[in-house]
Amino acid sequence: GYHFQPEEVLCVYTFAKSTVVPAGHVSSSTQADGEKQYKVAPRLGVCSVSHFTVIHWHCHQSATRAAANLRPKPQGEWESATVRNS
């Protein structure tokens, strides 16, 4: 943590994903027969959580390299983080 290596850069992992927000933009148009047609265009937003993980950048790089060199089955960055943080 910060107290053990205060000169090292800390990075933050947090969960966020794109999602459709229920509120949309309403637009109207008039058809050839004079009737109005309304369309709701969905808006994109970001869904997030209030929990996060802090890690030193150097530690993150070391862990990523170690996971990529595992034998017989190398792990990807997110797969190995899931195992370490569970």
Side-chain angles (χ1 to χ4, degrees):
Y2 178 76
H3 296 290
F4 297 110
Q5 296 177 344
E7 70 285 347
E8 292 288 327
V9 175
L10 288 170
C11 299
V12 176
Y13 280 107
T14 186
F15 174 80
K17 72 174 185 175
S18 297
T19 185
V20 176
V21 178
H25 176 74
V26 178
S27 62
S28 65
S29 62
T30 305
Q31 295 180 351
D33 60 2
E35 189 173 320
K36 280 210 171 233
Q37 181 180 18
Y38 295 94
K39 293 182 181 177
V40 177
R43 292 191 176 183
L44 292 179
V46 177
C47 176
S48 182
V49 295
S50 60
H51 177 78
F52 59 90
T53 303
V54 178
I55 185 171
H56 287 113
W57 177 247
H58 176 74
C59 296
H60 168 76
Q61 285 186 318
S62 297
T64 302
R65 255 186 259 110
N69 292 324
L70 283 177
R71 300 288 181 240
K73 183 182 174 235
Q75 292 180 330
E77 179 178 355
W78 294 108
E79 183 183 10
S80 65
T82 301
V83 171
R84 283 191 310 275
N85 295 328
S86 61

